[in-house]
Short mmCIF file of all heavy atoms in Angstrom, two decimals:
data_model
loop_
_atom_site.label_atom_id
_atom_site.label_comp_id
_atom_site.label_asym_id
_atom_site.label_seq_id
_atom_site.Cartn_x
_atom_site.Cartn_y
_atom_site.Cartn_z
N ARG A 15 -18.42 -63.30 43.92
CA ARG A 15 -19.04 -62.50 42.87
C ARG A 15 -17.98 -61.79 42.03
O ARG A 15 -16.97 -61.32 42.58
CB ARG A 15 -20.00 -61.47 43.48
CG ARG A 15 -21.16 -62.09 44.23
CD ARG A 15 -22.15 -62.74 43.27
NE ARG A 15 -23.16 -63.52 43.96
CZ ARG A 15 -24.36 -63.04 44.31
NH1 ARG A 15 -24.68 -61.80 44.05
NH2 ARG A 15 -25.23 -63.81 44.92
N ASP A 20 -23.12 -53.58 45.37
CA ASP A 20 -23.60 -52.81 46.51
C ASP A 20 -23.16 -51.35 46.35
O ASP A 20 -22.19 -51.06 45.64
CB ASP A 20 -23.00 -53.32 47.83
CG ASP A 20 -23.57 -54.66 48.28
OD1 ASP A 20 -24.49 -55.18 47.63
OD2 ASP A 20 -23.09 -55.17 49.31
N ASP A 35 -28.27 -52.63 47.67
CA ASP A 35 -27.72 -53.91 47.20
C ASP A 35 -28.39 -54.21 45.86
O ASP A 35 -29.55 -54.61 45.80
CB ASP A 35 -28.06 -54.96 48.26
CG ASP A 35 -27.67 -56.38 47.86
OD1 ASP A 35 -27.26 -56.59 46.70
OD2 ASP A 35 -27.79 -57.27 48.72
N GLY A 36 -27.64 -53.98 44.79
CA GLY A 36 -28.20 -54.11 43.46
C GLY A 36 -28.29 -55.54 43.01
O GLY A 36 -27.55 -56.41 43.47
N ASP A 122 -33.96 -56.32 51.60
CA ASP A 122 -33.41 -57.10 52.71
C ASP A 122 -32.07 -56.58 53.22
O ASP A 122 -31.37 -57.29 53.93
CB ASP A 122 -33.31 -58.59 52.35
CG ASP A 122 -32.27 -58.85 51.27
OD1 ASP A 122 -31.76 -57.88 50.65
OD2 ASP A 122 -31.96 -60.03 51.02
N SER A 195 -25.67 -54.91 53.92
CA SER A 195 -26.28 -55.72 52.87
C SER A 195 -26.30 -57.17 53.32
O SER A 195 -25.64 -57.55 54.30
CB SER A 195 -25.52 -55.55 51.56
OG SER A 195 -24.19 -56.01 51.69
N ASP A 196 -27.03 -58.02 52.60
CA ASP A 196 -27.19 -59.40 53.05
C ASP A 196 -25.92 -60.23 52.86
O ASP A 196 -25.84 -61.35 53.35
CB ASP A 196 -28.39 -60.07 52.35
CG ASP A 196 -28.16 -60.31 50.88
OD1 ASP A 196 -27.34 -59.58 50.27
OD2 ASP A 196 -28.79 -61.23 50.31
N GLY A 197 -24.92 -59.67 52.20
CA GLY A 197 -23.62 -60.36 52.15
C GLY A 197 -22.99 -60.48 53.53
O GLY A 197 -22.17 -61.37 53.76
N ASP A 235 -21.22 -63.26 48.82
CA ASP A 235 -21.89 -62.12 48.16
C ASP A 235 -21.10 -60.86 48.48
O ASP A 235 -20.20 -60.86 49.35
CB ASP A 235 -23.32 -62.03 48.71
CG ASP A 235 -24.26 -61.23 47.82
OD1 ASP A 235 -23.79 -60.65 46.81
OD2 ASP A 235 -25.44 -61.18 48.16
N ASN A 236 -21.46 -59.78 47.81
CA ASN A 236 -20.88 -58.48 48.14
C ASN A 236 -21.28 -58.11 49.58
O ASN A 236 -22.39 -58.43 50.01
CB ASN A 236 -21.41 -57.39 47.22
CG ASN A 236 -21.34 -57.74 45.74
OD1 ASN A 236 -22.25 -57.44 44.99
ND2 ASN A 236 -20.26 -58.39 45.30
CA1 CA B 301 -26.58 -59.08 48.13
#
Side-chain angles (χ1 to χ4, degrees):
R15 297 289 171 94
D20 287 357
D35 175 353
D122 67 350
S195 62
D196 69 335
D235 199 355
N236 310 141

